[in-house]
Amino acid sequence: MKTFFNVEDLGDLNKALDEAQEVKKNRFNYQELGKNKTLLMIFFNNSLRTRLSTQKAAMNLGMNVIVLDVNAGAWKLETERGVIMDGDKSEHLLEAIPVMASFCDVIGVRSFAGLSDREYDYAETIVNLFVKYSGRPVFAMETATVHPLQAFADLITIQEKWEEIKASNAHKRPKVVLTWAPHCRALPQAVPNSFAQWMNAADVDFVVTHPKGYELDPKFVGNAEVEYNQKKALEDADFVYAKNWSCPGVDNAADYGKILSKDMSWTIDSEHMSWTNNGYFMHCLPVRRGLIVTDDVIESEHSLVIPEAANREISAEVVIKRILEKL
């Protein structure tokens, strides 16, 4: 595996999930793969779970790890061609990338959407420069449009919980609902994009619910059922994944990145969860309490946010392991 951005990059998804369970049983069993190999983790944006889990996964595999915060200690980087660099950006990414690559074997990149230029963001301009000019395997630690390590961990978490509870459910497949929730800031679509993509590839019944104007890009939402009535969508749900995202600008690029609604009736509280099939609450974290979810829901026994976060180590380890196996 040379790159990892989408669910298709893993190949057979069931095999990847089985591999995740094997890794979880003994996460130090593959240290020879990473011996004398170096992972460079490049952060253009802040991180907590991604930084800790990915670094831990690489260390489990015996790798050396270098962490570079581009905005804290490095030169400010220019990304556009044809510019006169007479501002505050001292180095161009086209020189920086091959220099970075000379010190490592694998690169993980985290670079969020700017939310001002849809074409630029959805072209994945930053990460594609790393793919083109580094000569190293590159994987996403969240990009402008996708967060596959999170979605993989989400699916691992759903599979594990479903194995525990499926005997008590009348239906054979879990019903998973991705619901928009309000937020005070404009957020990218990377998490919902990847979650939708991965749920479409998994053996689940998948529904997306949001106010009108928040339609995800068709290449991610795929064949998912889209229901604008949140209550109807949540009926009989086994898993409720709450997440805010700004307008994806699918129908009107001028609205891209805008907040079209702050409707607090979409906040997940105990009443919302009562509409479900005794469902479990999920979120990628960090989460704004009182906006996305109420305290009683996120602190309940049916909250999976901590197991989700812990499984980020496992999803990262499977991905890095597969990359190392092809070096």
Side-chain angles (χ1 to χ4, degrees), residues 225-245:
E225 177 186 347
V226 177
E227 172 56 65
Y228 294 101
N229 184 316
Q230 189 190 32
K231 183 175 183 179
K232 184 177 179 181
L234 291 175
E235 289 176 357
D236 297 321
D238 300 293
F239 300 92
V240 176
Y241 199 102
K243 184 70 179 76
N244 174 267
W245 61 91

Side-chain angles (χ1 to χ4, degrees), residues 96-149:
I97 288 173
V99 171
M100 296 176 193
S102 68
F103 304 128
C104 66
D105 302 281
V106 181
I107 298 175
V109 181
R110 183 175 178 94
S111 179
F112 290 176
L115 295 180
S116 60
D117 185 336
R118 188 182 196 279
E119 184 177 355
Y120 182 88
D121 287 345
Y122 273 70
E124 291 291 8
T125 305
I126 299 297
V127 293
N128 281 327
L129 287 173
F130 279 90
V131 172
K132 185 173 182 179
Y133 293 106
S134 72
R136 298 286 186 261
V138 177
F139 67 90
M141 299 191 301
E142 187 169 0
T143 71
T145 67
V146 293
H147 197 354
L149 291 176

Side-chain angles (χ1 to χ4, degrees), residues 15 33 37 47 51 55 66 83-84 97 111 119 130 134 150 154 159 178 215 242 263 276 283 297 301:
K15 288 183 178 179
L33 286 173
K37 299 289 194 305
S47 174
R51 179 186 301 245
Q55 185 167 356
I66 300 172
V83 297
I84 298 173
I97 288 173
S111 179
E119 184 177 355
F130 279 90
S134 72
Q150 179 65 54
D154 295 333
Q159 182 197 49
L178 168 64
E215 291 79 9
D263 187 349
T276 72
H283 189 278
V297 171
E301 293 181 354

Side-chain angles (χ1 to χ4, degrees), residues 41-62:
M41 298 167 56
I42 303 167
F43 290 89
F44 289 84
N45 302 92
N46 295 336
S47 174
L48 190 152
R49 276 149 296 279
T50 297
R51 179 186 301 245
L52 295 177
S53 62
T54 309
Q55 185 167 356
K56 178 64 162 58
M59 293 166 64
N60 292 349
L61 292 164

